[in-house]
């Protein structure tokens, strides 16, 4: 409030601002080591209101990801294999081809390469899905992990399509952030 000389700045405005700044490429680059080992420090952007608006949009996008319009992916079906959208093992991601092998009968393709540029920690959001949503059995054939939704067989396929949309829209919003942020001040040294 003092820096921007605006006493009307609310706690919610500050939260939205911080969420936007945490996605700023300059912030991630400047504080790369601190993000792993220390407390994040929040720099000041020239346009507070713009960051608040973008932060608000990012939060809505990330919270409401399950209601986002799925990205139109190609369903490449294997000939002679009955179509299934269930994950039956470990999915395989090919960033170069923009595809994810869901199972022996289905490969999703047409994922834009840019979608892999939205990174959470050290991996893209799509990498996280492929890693976390896998079907596993122990040595005796007992199911130890089944990510499939019994009530919605298409859940994981739709999740991949939605996360593709979220990734692309996140990158679009990040590109709208002010290019300059000040890394000087009492909270950034």
């Amino acid at each position: 409030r003092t820096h921007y000389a605006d006493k009307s700045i609310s706690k919610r405005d500050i939260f939205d601002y911080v969420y936007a700044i945490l996605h700023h490429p300059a912030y991630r680059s400047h504080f790369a080591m601190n993000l792993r080992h220390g407390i994040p420090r929040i720099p000041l952007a020239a346009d507070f209101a713009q960051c608040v608006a973008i932060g608000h949009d990012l939060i809505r996008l990330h919270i409401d990801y399950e209601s986002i319009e799925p990205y139109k992916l190609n369903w490449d079906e294997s000939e002679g294999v009955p179509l299934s959208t269930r994950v039956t093992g470990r999915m395989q991601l090919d960033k170069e081809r923009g595809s994810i092998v869901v199972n022996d009968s289905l490969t999703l393709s047409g994922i834009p390469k840019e979608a892999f540029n939205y990174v959470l920690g050290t991996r893209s959001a799509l990498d996280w899905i492929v890693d976390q949503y896998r079907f596993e059995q122990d040595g005796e054939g007992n199911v130890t992990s089944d990510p499939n939704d019994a009530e919605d067989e298409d859940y994981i396929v739709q999740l991949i399509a939605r996360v593709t949309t979220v990734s692309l829209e996140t990158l679009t919003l990040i590109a709208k952030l002010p290019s300059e942020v000040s890394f000087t001040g009492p909270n950034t040294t």
Side-chain angles (χ1 to χ4, degrees), residues 15 33 35 48 60-61 72 74 77 85 92 94 103 119 148 152 163 173-174 180 188:
F15 185 85
M33 293 308 293
L35 292 173
F48 180 81
R60 289 275 51 96
L61 180 65
K72 181 71 175 137
N74 302 318
E77 298 177 36
T85 57
Q92 297 173 6
D94 186 334
N103 57 41
V119 177
N148 297 292
D152 182 4
V163 169
L173 288 167
I174 289 171
E180 297 296 319
T188 57

Side-chain angles (χ1 to χ4, degrees), residues 38-58:
I39 298 172
R41 300 175 190 274
I42 305 302
L44 302 170
D47 192 336
F48 180 81
Q50 181 183 12
C51 289
V52 169
I54 292 170
H56 177 79
D57 291 346
L58 284 168

Side-chain angles (χ1 to χ4, degrees), residues 94-159:
D94 186 334
K95 291 181 184 180
E96 286 302 310
R97 290 186 174 153
S99 66
I100 296 175
V101 176
V102 176
N103 57 41
D104 291 341
S105 72
L106 178 64
T107 299
L108 299 174
S109 65
I111 301 170
K113 289 186 180 181
E114 301 83 44
F116 299 106
N117 292 336
Y118 174 49
V119 177
L120 302 163
T122 58
R123 298 185 283 185
S124 74
L126 291 167
D127 279 310
W128 280 101
I129 290 173
V130 169
D131 181 58
Q132 297 298 310
Y133 287 81
R134 57 184 170 198
F135 184 90
E136 294 178 317
Q137 293 178 307
D138 64 16
E140 297 175 5
N142 298 315
V143 175
T144 60
S145 177
D146 185 354
N148 297 292
D149 184 334
E151 295 180 20
D152 182 4
E153 284 199 15
D154 291 347
Y155 174 76
I156 295 172
V157 169
Q158 291 302 312
L159 178 64

Side-chain angles (χ1 to χ4, degrees), residues 20 26 29 31 36-37 44 49 53 84 86 116 122 156 176-177:
S29 173
F31 291 110
R36 291 189 187 112
H37 303 292
L44 302 170
S84 170
R86 296 180 61 79
F116 299 106
T122 58
I156 295 172
K176 293 178 182 178
L177 286 168

Side-chain angles (χ1 to χ4, degrees), residues 63-78:
I63 288 174
D64 295 334
Y65 72 94
E66 288 187 320
S67 63
I68 298 294
E69 185 67 28
Y71 190 83
K72 181 71 175 137
L73 298 174
N74 302 318
W75 286 35
D76 302 330
E77 298 177 36
S78 300

